[in-house]
Amino acid sequence: MAQPLVVLSGVNKHFGDLHVLKEINLSVERGEVVIVIGPSGSGKSTMCRTINRLETIESGTITIDGQPLPQEGKGLARLRADVGMVFQAFNLFAHKTILDNITLGPIKVRKLSKADAEKRAMELLDRVGVAEQAHKYPAQLSGGQQQRVAIARSLAMEPKVMLFDEPTSALDPEMINEVLDVMVALAKEGMTMIVITHEMGFARKAANRVVFMSDGQIVEEASPQEFFTNPKSARAKDFLGKILTH
């Protein structure tokens, strides 16, 4: 039995007096798409950010592909290359072209030649549907296009796992599907993904498993079918009642 790709075990985190992650245990298999949902302030983003060590933890362990998270230095840079992250904000370098945004990491961290990095970048931009924007700057693109570029930039590092922290929440409604479509395609290709989202249609379509968090804890996890039709906990029922009726 192959070991899971991402394992959080007994993870705790405080911000001052606030206990934001309480004994989190989560394993994600290779090629699995795990959707994390729950009310605001339930610890979803913090959990996501601990996986590539944007947030430190006080106790517990996190391993990626069997390796514990390094504290800092070169090991941490390598780990971050293995863990792609797409945020609400697109976090593109404003003063660099789209093509340069995507080739920067592969050239610097993965030591690809400029020619190889550019060839790969163009393939990825084509894949996310914005190849014709390669020589523009981020500000010249729509939010949906910028987010698709951000996904391509993460993919350029050939990550083992992709983390998405509410990747569509800053987008206008008409742009949401263009980003979700790229994510659905990635899921179908077998990319391991941990996705925090409010897009329940995407969860139903792409997830292998739904993880529901509330008050810093994982309250329940189930297949999308099971979770949406038959949530076990009162908190999940309440949450679904609020979001699915609108």
Side-chain angles (χ1 to χ4, degrees):
M1 185 68 189
Q3 62 186 357
L5 186 57
V6 180
V7 180
L8 287 76
S9 179
V11 168
N12 282 278
K13 166 85 184 166
H14 287 78
F15 289 129
D17 292 339
L18 195 63
H19 197 173
V20 283
L21 295 178
K22 304 171 185 168
E23 289 296 317
I24 296 287
N25 295 299
L26 179 68
S27 293
V28 179
E29 302 294 335
R30 271 164 223 285
E32 192 178 18
V33 178
V34 173
I35 304 278
V36 183
I37 64 173
S40 295
S42 56
K44 308 182 298 287
S45 285
T46 305
M47 180 180 80
C48 204
R49 292 166 71 88
T50 62
I51 296 172
N52 70 349
R53 231 175 160 281
L54 285 173
E55 295 287 357
T56 55
I57 60 174
E58 283 131 28
S59 61
T61 57
I62 301 177
T63 59
I64 309 265
D65 210 359
Q67 300 295 315
L69 292 197
Q71 293 299 308
E72 56 219 16
K74 285 208 165 111
L76 185 58
R78 271 198 299 275
L79 164 95
R80 290 216 174 118
D82 283 342
V83 181
M85 180 115 192
V86 178
F87 302 89
Q88 288 181 23
F90 321 124
N91 291 18
L92 298 172
F93 295 111
H95 59 288
K96 290 187 183 298
T97 65
I98 297 307
L99 188 62
D100 288 342
N101 262 282
I102 294 186
T103 56
L104 188 70
I107 291 169
K108 280 203 160 154
V109 181
R110 297 281 192 223
K111 307 295 181 215
L112 284 188
S113 70
K114 187 164 193 265
D116 286 347
E118 288 190 350
K119 179 169 179 282
R120 170 99 178 117
M122 289 309 300
E123 285 164 6
L124 288 167
L125 286 172
D126 189 45
R127 184 164 148 194
V128 301
V130 288
E132 70 288 353
Q133 313 290 344
H135 299 291
K136 291 187 181 168
Y137 289 86
Q140 296 172 282
L141 273 59
S142 72
Q145 289 172 326
Q146 288 188 58
Q147 195 60 297
R148 286 184 282 154
V149 171
I151 293 172
R153 181 178 60 176
S154 281
L155 290 174
M157 300 299 283
E158 306 200 343
K160 293 175 179 173
V161 56
M162 292 273 283
L163 309 175
F164 292 87
D165 187 0
E166 299 199 15
T168 58
S169 65
L171 298 176
D172 293 334
E174 71 273 16
M175 293 174 190
I176 289 174
N177 281 338
E178 65 190 61
V179 173
L180 292 178
D181 288 346
V182 170
M183 292 168 64
V184 168
L186 268 184
K188 288 200 172 111
E189 286 161 24
M191 173 59 77
T192 310
M193 295 162 64
I194 300 171
V195 183
I196 299 171
T197 185
H198 296 293
E199 298 295 331
M200 298 304 141
F202 172 77
R204 285 198 171 96
K205 199 166 10 182
N208 299 104
R209 185 159 40 121
V210 174
V211 170
F212 176 73
M213 287 182 74
S214 182
D215 299 319
Q217 293 169 301
I218 292 178
V219 179
E220 63 180 289
E221 40 188 313
S223 71
Q225 174 64 20
E226 176 74 10
F227 180 78
F228 288 114
T229 54
N230 189 20
K232 300 279 183 287
S233 65
R235 275 185 287 187
K237 284 180 186 146
D238 179 54
F239 177 77
L240 288 172
K242 286 189 179 119
I243 57 166
L244 296 178
T245 47
H246 297 306

